[in-house]
Amino acid sequence: ALQRTFSIIKPDATARNITGKINAMIEAAGLRIVAQKRVQLTREKAEGFYAVHKERPFFNDLVSFMISGPVVVQVLEGENAIAKYREVMGATNPEQADEGTIRKTFAESIEANSVHGSDAPETAAEEIKYFFNDDEIVG
Ligand code: CMP
């Protein structure tokens, strides 16, 4: 079915000026970027986004990393967009990511792993709402 997923191009990628290369891989996979904006997250906004990870040992470092520079937040649309984008991203840990994936190609570490993508329809809807109004998404 036609789905939408939420994506973040992370600070390690904006710092290296490779957002266009990542967008090219997204589009080559048949996903359409139907909303996109470059933003500087506040600590509060990043903590809210990653609230599910609050008790994890990596939480504080993750939040500090995510506010260390601009990010590009996106809504991607396509057939089975959630699973498809997870395939395009590759495994969370770039050492375990398949050849040709965004993380295998670009990620620096499990933390500086270049991109985030929603893991399920419910989280996709929540994450999209956390960053975008309906009138900012043009399918
Ligand atoms: P993301 O999809 O943005 O969701 C949570 C992030 O935590 C994950 O990608 C990783 O970049 C980051 N992270 C940092 N350390 C770890 C870890 N040990 N295990 C899982 N995720 C981690």
Side-chain angles (χ1 to χ4, degrees), residues 2-128:
L2 195 67
Q3 273 183 342
R4 286 177 175 174
T5 192
F6 175 73
S7 164
I8 305 178
I9 302 180
K10 296 187 181 186
D12 66 284
T14 61
R16 284 176 287 154
N17 208 25
I18 55 172
T19 64
K21 288 182 176 166
I22 290 172
N23 278 349
M25 291 173 80
I26 289 170
E27 292 180 339
L31 293 166
R32 191 170 289 274
I33 301 164
V34 294
Q36 173 168 263
K37 56 191 174 189
R38 181 172 171 108
V39 296
Q40 173 63 51
L41 297 179
T42 62
R43 184 168 292 275
E44 184 182 35
K45 186 91 175 175
E47 285 176 350
F49 181 76
Y50 281 122
V52 63
H53 295 306
K54 202 164 46 195
E55 305 306 324
R56 303 269 212 120
F58 58 80
F59 180 73
N60 283 317
D61 285 346
L62 171 63
V63 169
S64 294
F65 167 66
M66 291 299 290
I67 67 173
S68 67
V71 299
V72 177
V73 293
Q74 305 174 307
V75 180
L76 310 181
E77 186 177 85
E79 280 297 312
N80 295 315
I82 295 166
K84 184 173 284 179
Y85 190 44
R86 293 182 75 78
E87 280 179 33
V88 173
M89 289 192 296
T92 303
N93 184 345
E95 289 175 13
Q96 286 154 20
D98 289 340
E99 288 298 329
T101 62
I102 292 171
R103 286 166 171 162
K104 179 71 176 188
T105 306
F106 295 121
E108 298 176 317
S109 67
I110 194 168
E111 176 177 273
N113 68 351
S114 302
V115 283
H116 164 84
S118 307
D119 61 3
E122 301 71 38
T123 46
E126 280 173 23
E127 291 176 357
I128 289 169

